[in-house]
Amino acid sequence: MFNYIADNPRRLAMKRLNPDRFRICDLQLAGRTCQAVGNRSLLSIPDKAAVIVHRRYSDADYDRLREQWLACGERGGVLVSAAIAPREKEVLREAMDRGYRIILLRENGFPEFYKPSGEAFYACADGRLLQISPWPYHTENRTISRSQCLELNAMAQSLSSIP
């Protein structure tokens, strides 16, 4: 807790240097209005890859795709994912640890005074993260539905093909 309090002035300076990266904004994406927080310029990077892992993938399929996704991040591209499946989460965890650019699609929107926390805060400040939600914020404890998963994956696919 002491370290958190001692680091407050530095985090405040980061927010003041990049206020647009910490402000909730509305975007028109994939045919719908979405809320977003983070570096919106990640959308304009042409080299993007949708990180989507289907159950039917063999271990060899996954290993091959994982290498392609991480290679995209290594060359400065952007990984786009809802990080629903455990293996999607693994890839995004490794990408975050390596400092790659990520567009994260979320099931839940953003509360009025939302601010990314922890490593997401620093990734936003560095311009490496954009969080997007096609749905408004809710306080209910919901389990994501299959149709929402499919919609988020379709959105990841669509965003990854935007030049």
Side-chain angles (χ1 to χ4, degrees):
M1 182 178 264
F2 178 78
N3 290 339
Y4 174 81
I5 292 169
D7 198 37
N8 271 342
R10 185 171 75 92
R11 285 194 311 278
L12 178 60
M14 293 170 127
K15 283 178 66 175
R16 287 183 176 163
L17 285 171
N18 301 292
D20 287 345
R21 294 183 186 164
F22 295 97
R23 190 173 299 129
I24 300 168
C25 67
D26 289 336
L27 298 175
Q28 291 296 319
L29 296 171
R32 64 185 314 153
T33 301
C34 301
Q35 291 182 316
V37 173
N39 185 1
R40 295 183 302 276
S41 68
L42 295 179
L43 292 166
S44 64
I45 294 174
D47 188 9
K48 293 190 279 295
V51 178
I52 301 169
V53 178
H54 297 287
R55 285 185 225 156
R56 68 179 178 272
Y57 289 173
S58 68
D59 288 343
D61 291 334
Y62 169 73
D63 291 342
R64 180 181 46 79
L65 288 167
R66 180 184 164 279
E67 289 304 315
Q68 290 175 7
W69 294 323
L70 293 175
C72 175
E74 184 66 31
R75 65 180 176 262
V78 181
L79 302 181
V80 184
S81 182
I84 298 165
R87 286 183 158 181
E88 293 167 358
K89 290 176 185 176
E90 287 174 16
V91 171
L92 289 191
R93 163 64 22 229
E94 187 165 353
M96 182 67 84
D97 290 346
R98 292 183 182 193
Y100 297 163
R101 298 170 175 162
I102 296 170
I103 296 175
L104 179 65
L105 304 174
R106 297 167 38 127
E107 174 274 328
N108 198 358
F110 304 95
E112 185 178 355
F113 298 108
Y114 175 77
K115 172 185 68 84
S117 60
E119 68 183 346
F121 176 89
Y122 297 106
C124 281
D126 291 342
R128 296 182 290 111
L129 179 64
L130 175 63
Q131 299 177 39
I132 300 172
S133 178
W135 299 293
Y137 176 70
H138 61 81
T139 57
E140 300 138 29
N141 187 10
R142 297 181 190 168
T143 301
I144 191 168
S145 69
R146 175 162 170 71
S147 64
Q148 287 176 307
C149 292
L150 294 174
E151 193 168 344
L152 289 174
N153 283 342
M155 192 173 179
Q157 197 69 52
S158 174
L159 292 177
S160 69
S161 63
I162 296 174

